[in-house]
Amino acid sequence: MCPIPLNWKLGDPILSPVEDMLSLDPVEIGSKATYKLLIGAIVPRPIAFISTVNSQGICNLAPFSFFNGVSSNPPAVMIAITRKSHGEKKDTLRNIETTHQFVVNSVNEWMVEPMNQCSAEYPYGVNEMQTVGLTPLPSQKIQPPRVKESAIHLECELYDTLNVGDGSEGSSTIVIGKIVMLHIFSAAYKDGRILLEEIKPISRLAGTSYGHTNDIFQVPRPKLFQK
Ligand SMILES: Cc1cc2nc3c(=O)[nH]c(=O)nc-3n(C[C@H](O)[C@H](O)[C@H](O)COP(=O)(O)O)c2cc1C
């Protein structure tokens, strides 16, 4: 195992185990093989547990790990929603395109299994939040409900979308949401910061692997470039 060189200084040698590299052209290996490599290469990934409603107000809930923050002015997040096997849109995307609203709910240690159940392909109009036994909590500024059991809720309004690919399987729509309200488990909020030990976030790794966030270390940012 490579030790974490926390006492490393500018100019010190880097203790890396990396030697020979394998080079793969995504066109040659195809999109399915590329997908498997991407979910192993882009790790760890945060998980957005997205609640939306359809035009009848029925809730939909599904996890997405091609997810990240984008900006703080305006505060914004992105999720990439891939197409299904015959190019159909997932329910989350259909609902966001219809209502222009969604909530990003966090996935914490205590809710991994219900989150995973919500990734099953339920028919359109099935309320996964009710099916798995999670509790809807009204949002303040938008229609889709929040997930009461999640430690963080971000109410979002659609800012923009960008299609990547031709709409066939594996291509995606990037959804950018402007955060219009943040909700934080009060025990996890202190002096303007979020206490990770209270929210116990889970990350997605490759395949069916997940990671805890419990081996945290500090690396102070350099103030000035020093040589
Ligand atoms: C942890 C996890 C992360 C996922 N990340 C994504 C993702 O980033 N993009 C995506 O399109 N599907 C992702 N999925 C699969 C969707 O959750 C799945 O296709 C789900 O059925 C979509 O539900 P919907 O049709 O109700 O929107 C993920 C599944 C899991 C378990």
Side-chain angles (χ1 to χ4, degrees):
M1 203 171 79
C2 183
I4 300 167
L6 287 178
N7 54 359
W8 179 86
K9 296 187 300 305
L10 275 180
D12 282 356
I14 314 291
L15 299 173
S16 164
V18 178
E19 289 185 11
D20 294 338
M21 302 296 287
L22 185 65
S23 303
L24 301 163
D25 182 333
V27 175
E28 281 170 20
I29 64 175
S31 69
K32 285 202 167 127
T34 302
Y35 169 77
K36 282 190 189 166
L37 295 175
L38 285 182
I39 62 170
I42 305 167
V43 282
R45 293 187 305 289
I47 307 170
F49 204 15
I50 305 285
S51 45
T52 53
V53 289
N54 67 12
S55 56
Q56 277 91 53
I58 297 171
C59 178
N60 190 87
L61 183 63
F64 295 88
S65 65
F66 279 5
F67 157 62
N68 227 307
V70 170
S71 60
S72 58
N73 183 20
V77 292
M78 57 82 38
I79 48 169
I81 304 178
T82 56
R83 293 299 163 92
K84 297 201 265 189
S85 48
H86 299 293
E88 313 97 303
K89 291 180 178 176
K90 295 187 179 179
D91 301 349
T92 302
L93 180 61
R94 289 176 67 178
N95 288 352
I96 293 172
E97 286 181 339
T98 305
T99 66
H100 293 190
Q101 297 181 333
F102 61 97
V103 182
V104 174
N105 303 278
S106 61
V107 177
N108 315 96
E109 277 182 13
W110 51 86
M111 53 193 294
V112 173
E113 286 177 15
M115 173 280 294
N116 189 37
Q117 286 300 321
C118 288
S119 72
E121 215 175 292
Y122 292 94
Y124 189 60
V126 168
N127 181 338
E128 291 94 349
M129 199 177 321
Q130 193 175 50
T131 305
V132 303
L134 290 166
T135 316
L137 192 63
S139 289
Q140 287 185 6
K141 292 197 176 174
I142 61 173
Q143 212 199 338
R146 305 179 269 148
V147 174
K148 182 175 181 295
E149 289 80 1
S150 295
I152 309 279
H153 315 138
L154 307 175
E155 295 184 25
C156 297
E157 277 174 357
L158 182 61
Y159 182 85
D160 212 345
T161 57
L162 175 66
N163 289 317
V164 179
D166 61 5
S168 61
E169 184 181 14
S171 60
S172 81
T173 300
I174 297 175
V175 171
I176 300 176
K178 179 177 164 187
I179 301 167
V180 294
M181 188 60 71
L182 296 95
H183 306 270
I184 302 156
F185 174 35
S186 55
Y189 180 87
K190 190 166 180 227
D191 302 332
R193 292 175 190 275
I194 291 173
L195 305 173
L196 297 185
E197 61 273 24
E198 296 296 335
I199 64 171
K200 301 188 191 307
I202 285 292
S203 61
R204 188 172 184 210
L205 307 171
T208 53
S209 308
Y210 291 84
H212 293 283
T213 310
N214 57 7
D215 186 11
I216 298 169
F217 57 94
Q218 308 294 322
V219 183
R221 287 284 291 269
K223 289 207 170 49
L224 286 171
F225 174 75
Q226 293 164 334
K227 187 135 183 153

